[in-house]
Amino acid sequence: MKVNMTKNTDEFMRTLHNASLEYLDRGLAVVPLGIDTKKPLAPWKEFQTRLPTEEEVDDWFEHGAPTTKGDRVKVFNIAIVTGSLSGVLVLDCDNQSAIDFAQKNYLHSPFSVKTTRGSHYYFQHPRNGARFKNAVGGTARMWPDVPGLDFRGDGGYVVAPPSVSFNKDGSFKHVYSWEIGEGLDWEDCPEWKGVPEAIEVIEDGTFEFSDLKLHGVEVSLAVADIEEQVRNKVALLGRKLQEGDSTDMWMIKYCGQLV
């Protein structure tokens, strides 16, 4: 595919260069990707165990990123290497069904990237010695059977902002961009807790309240009511609840309390 870059190519590469240095300063390993392939231009295994130097990054942008063929490419995208070195793990939702699943099962994050087809949800790597394998939704074992719900762990990578994507005819399509909760710093990124043991698989169908079986359901009076729990949570945070603070969960609990 022949990519149709515009006269703004130089500006795009300067922006990409600055972003790469910012990622590096944040402790994130970056590697150059083909502008139209999402594949690293050269072997990148070493950057799973060490960060590229500032001089190496500058060299990519000044002289072109090296490729497996031994030549250099002047225009490229960048990726963030996931895993313990960078300290990040990413849930890659490639479609709306995957996003819905992530939202319903508390697998979303207030640190996300708007991708061409969905979202990347960022989490902190626990860095407790555990390794997290990459997974592909719908095919991986011990992973939700949801096509488009992928996981980038140790030994993985994701396209990073402000990389771009193109249509099949080479025309411009999308700019990868950050979507971060208001007032949050990178240190606020949630830690990956794994996939919940009890997850809800999205299925088509109808629902009737008469289907609910509430026999034997009891309210525990030993637990403070939901309103009090929320007040305690707000007091602990020192601010109002916002996206990423499980507001949907609290609302569901409150509705249950009213019932």
Side-chain angles (χ1 to χ4, degrees), residues 4-23:
N4 299 328
M5 295 298 288
T6 70
K7 62 181 179 180
N8 295 322
T9 299
D10 290 342
E11 181 181 351
F12 163 68
M13 293 306 296
R14 283 194 297 270
T15 303
L16 199 70
H17 188 181
N18 291 334
S20 299
L21 293 177
E22 289 179 9
Y23 293 143

Side-chain angles (χ1 to χ4, degrees), residues 91 93 97-111 121-123 143-144 149 151 190-202 226 242-254:
L91 189 72
C93 297
S97 293
I99 292 174
D100 291 342
F101 182 90
Q103 294 284 342
K104 288 187 176 182
N105 291 285
Y106 310 110
L107 294 172
H108 57 96
S109 166
F111 291 78
Y121 292 115
Y122 276 69
F123 298 85
W143 183 254
L149 185 78
F151 182 73
E191 184 177 287
W192 176 252
K193 301 296 185 182
V195 177
E197 292 183 2
I199 58 178
E200 177 184 350
V201 177
I202 300 173
I226 303 306
Q242 58 190 18
E243 184 178 355
D245 290 330
S246 301
T247 50
D248 289 347
M249 179 191 72
W250 289 116
M251 183 58 70
I252 292 171
K253 285 187 174 183
Y254 178 64

Side-chain angles (χ1 to χ4, degrees), residues 61-210:
F61 287 91
E62 291 173 11
H63 304 105
T67 73
T68 54
K69 297 179 180 179
D71 58 350
R72 286 179 176 257
V73 174
K74 287 283 189 177
V75 182
F76 51 88
N77 280 324
I78 58 171
I80 290 175
V81 179
T82 56
S84 59
L85 176 65
S86 294
V88 295
L89 300 166
V90 176
L91 189 72
D92 180 2
C93 297
D94 269 345
N95 54 50
Q96 190 58 48
S97 293
I99 292 174
D100 291 342
F101 182 90
Q103 294 284 342
K104 288 187 176 182
N105 291 285
Y106 310 110
L107 294 172
H108 57 96
S109 166
F111 291 78
S112 65
V113 168
K114 182 63 178 175
T115 67
T116 305
R117 294 181 293 178
S119 294
H120 288 162
Y121 292 115
Y122 276 69
F123 298 85
Q124 289 192 46
H125 193 298
R127 285 178 165 168
N128 56 4
R131 286 185 60 83
F132 298 84
K133 295 181 179 180
N134 297 314
V136 178
T139 62
R141 296 181 61 188
M142 306 301 292
W143 183 254
D145 185 18
V146 179
L149 185 78
D150 304 333
F151 182 73
R152 305 303 177 208
D154 293 280
Y157 66 87
V158 288
V159 182
S163 296
V164 295
S165 63
F166 299 88
N167 295 304
K168 291 183 179 180
D169 62 1
S171 59
F172 173 80
K173 185 174 184 179
H174 177 75
V175 179
Y176 287 72
S177 58
W178 286 102
E179 296 182 334
I180 298 177
E182 184 178 355
L184 297 180
D185 295 321
W186 188 253
E187 292 73 18
D188 298 317
C189 185
E191 184 177 287
W192 176 252
K193 301 296 185 182
V195 177
E197 292 183 2
I199 58 178
E200 177 184 350
V201 177
I202 300 173
E203 297 179 351
D204 293 331
T206 59
F207 168 78
E208 299 290 343
F209 277 100
S210 59

